[in-house]
Amino acid sequence: MTRIAIIGGGSAYMPGLAFSFARERERFAGATLVLHDIDGDALDIQQRLTGSILRAGGGGTAVEATTDLERALDGADFVLTTFRPGGYAARHLDEVIPPRHGIVGQETTGPGGLAMAFRSVPALLRIAELMRERAAPRALLLNYTNPVQLVTTALLRHGGVPVIGLCDQHQGEIRWLAGIAGVDPASVETDIYGTNHLTFTTAVRVDGRDVTSELCARIGELDPATLDAYWEPVARMLPLFGMVVSNYFKYFVLHDEMLEASRWLGMTRSQQIQLELPAIIESYRREADADDPRPLGGRYSAEHGDYAVGLMGAVVSGEPARFVLNVPNRGAISDLPDDAVVEVPCMLHGREITRQEMGPLPAAVSGLARQMVGHAELAAEAAATGDRDLALRAMMAHPLVHSLSSGQAVLDELLDAHAEHLPQFA
């Protein structure tokens, strides 16, 4: 029977996965979820809550939990990694240090994303090493741990196990586009390509009918004052590029505005989340043994859960299914290197992946995407080896870092601040 190890199983994201497994109970009948976390109390809550959610959904899937990583990986057919090395305290440092040097602080973009990669990559490579020893033959590593492009690049170069990078951001874009079009998100299909958090949607179809032009026109007619703050920059950037760009593109196009907004707010996104978490975690604890659990939302989503669980379900069933994945390019984007990690539509046939050929990126963004590929390759090697010279080269290869003096200063400060989580740089 299928064994699925969820590394980061004590995370506040876990209920979204649990509800998704409950909805997919027929595909996972007889399967076992093995939750792993280093936080025993959080793990206990999520094991109980997950079990209650699955039973309320009809049962059929067992749940185990362990703080022992080796035990979690024993016999695993799938390993889903969804954790944050250093927790929210480390994220706060990633977000607060770069702005001191005039660079936006963000957990996956720029110097903050580089620092997170330095923490994430060694942890993922250790998991890959143990998978080779203990997991089932052909076990598949599905990586949600950020920054996805950098981590997936390192795993492909040094991990030695089959790996797919996951990001549910585009699932949120599809829901947003479907809402504007007034249709069911399940009826929407897109042509999207680029690198993780730097993607470009050039076509939107509803039940096979191309609605790109009319949808872009509708977005252009929206009153910015009525838009959710998350989507307002996406709508604002659409006329400039003539396509729907990733929300994260705002850190490149609207950098100074984003930097000023973070300073005006007076707290990092990490601090905001930490203020919200106690009530959410308390609801998890309260609902953990309920017959029909209704935990507070806010830190989990259907997009996050359904995407990962749907992908595993497709692999298990062997039924053809289309997903947007982070995988080696192999010609999908003609103006990026074959070994670059790109985010493109793929058809899954069991474990076989067929990439949709997307052609070249639009001229306005092609150079930026190539630069991000170079940054990812340098960052992956620096994170794996602890080479400080490579780390500085990776820092300077990022488009948001314009000065060697500030790049060196940010790097030194981040490495010092995260020293306990960066033994490779000791």
Side-chain angles (χ1 to χ4, degrees):
M1 293 296 183
T2 304
R3 288 183 67 84
I4 302 165
I6 301 176
I7 312 303
S11 160
Y13 286 101
M14 188 61 217
L17 291 165
F19 281 117
S20 297
F21 277 113
R23 285 190 287 272
E24 291 272 9
R25 63 184 179 278
E26 292 183 4
R27 281 181 164 176
F28 293 99
T32 299
L33 308 183
V34 184
L35 313 190
H36 170 272
D37 209 285
I38 60 174
D39 184 333
D41 180 58
L43 188 61
D44 174 68
I45 294 171
Q46 294 300 344
Q47 180 186 15
R48 289 159 47 210
L49 181 57
T50 297
S52 296
I53 290 170
L54 292 172
R55 285 190 297 273
T61 305
V63 185
E64 300 175 4
T66 179
T67 56
D68 184 331
L69 181 59
E70 294 185 2
R71 180 181 162 196
L73 296 173
D74 280 342
D77 299 286
F78 297 96
V79 178
L80 178 64
T81 52
T82 175
F83 60 92
R84 188 186 305 278
Y88 284 104
R91 176 175 176 172
H92 169 69
L93 294 172
D94 293 342
E95 293 173 334
V96 78
I97 290 173
R100 296 173 187 164
H101 304 272
I103 307 168
V104 74
Q106 214 282 324
E107 67 162 340
T108 64
T109 301
L114 182 61
M116 188 170 188
F118 290 163
R119 300 192 304 277
S120 298
V121 166
L124 267 296
L125 292 181
R126 174 58 177 161
I127 290 168
E129 178 186 5
L130 290 173
M131 283 179 65
R132 296 197 301 270
E133 299 171 2
R134 312 183 74 97
R138 300 182 70 222
L140 180 59
L141 174 55
L142 302 173
N143 177 60
Y144 252 141
T145 296
N146 277 319
V148 168
Q149 186 192 10
L150 279 60
V151 172
T152 306
T153 299
L155 284 167
L156 287 165
R157 291 183 169 210
H158 300 288
V161 297
V163 58
I164 297 174
L166 305 185
C167 181
D168 61 9
Q169 183 208 356
H170 189 53
Q171 301 303 304
E173 288 176 349
I174 286 176
R175 286 182 178 270
W176 181 61
L177 294 170
I180 294 170
V183 300
D184 183 345
S187 69
V188 176
E189 181 180 276
T190 62
D191 288 340
I192 176 175
Y193 59 143
T195 60
N196 184 239
H197 286 184
L198 197 70
T199 51
F200 310 95
T201 298
T202 55
V204 182
R205 293 176 291 278
V206 174
D207 292 326
R209 184 176 70 87
D210 192 316
V211 298
T212 311
S213 296
E214 60 190 82
L215 191 56
C216 287
R218 286 193 192 184
I219 294 172
E221 294 168 357
L222 295 173
D223 180 354
T226 66
L227 282 170
D228 180 278
Y230 182 89
W231 296 112
E232 188 275 334
V234 178
R236 196 181 349 160
M237 290 184 286
L238 189 148
L240 179 63
F241 295 99
M243 54 188 169
V244 178
V245 301
S246 162
N247 173 269
Y248 288 81
F249 205 32
K250 67 189 179 187
Y251 296 113
F252 299 89
V253 177
L254 307 170
H255 175 272
D256 292 353
E257 184 176 331
M258 295 298 106
L259 179 61
E260 183 57 32
S262 68
R263 288 171 169 166
W264 177 83
L265 186 62
M267 67 170 62
T268 64
R269 177 60 183 151
S270 175
Q271 289 174 313
Q272 289 179 295
I273 294 170
Q274 289 180 75
L275 289 175
E276 299 165 0
L277 270 176
I280 292 171
I281 299 303
E282 180 54 34
S283 83
Y284 293 173
R285 193 185 304 275
R286 185 175 62 250
E287 297 291 311
D289 301 306
D291 293 334
D292 183 18
R294 303 291 178 94
L296 285 177
R299 295 310 299 158
Y300 69 85
S301 68
E303 291 98 343
H304 182 88
D306 289 351
Y307 175 53
V309 175
L311 191 152
M312 285 185 272
V315 173
V316 168
S317 72
E319 298 173 3
R322 187 179 191 266
F323 292 90
V324 175
L325 304 174
N326 285 266
V327 291
N329 184 26
R330 296 180 187 170
I333 302 177
S334 60
D335 53 341
L336 292 183
D338 272 358
D339 61 351
V341 173
V342 297
E343 188 164 312
V344 291
C346 300
M347 285 299 299
L348 277 185
H349 301 265
R351 292 173 180 267
E352 298 299 317
I353 299 174
T354 303
R355 296 151 180 80
Q356 182 174 328
E357 293 186 5
M358 303 301 298
L361 286 162
V365 297
S366 177
L368 181 60
R370 287 197 297 272
Q371 189 173 353
M372 287 302 296
V373 167
H375 165 72
E377 291 173 349
L378 289 167
E381 291 303 309
T385 63
D387 186 317
R388 283 180 176 254
D389 290 335
L390 271 180
L392 180 58
R393 289 174 63 193
M395 179 70 76
M396 296 311 302
H398 198 283
L400 296 186
V401 182
H402 304 137
S403 161
L404 178 58
S405 58
S406 60
Q408 182 73 71
V410 174
L411 177 64
D412 290 345
E413 194 169 343
L414 285 168
L415 291 181
D416 288 346
H418 293 300
E420 65 176 301
H421 300 294
L422 303 176
Q424 76 272 39
F425 286 102

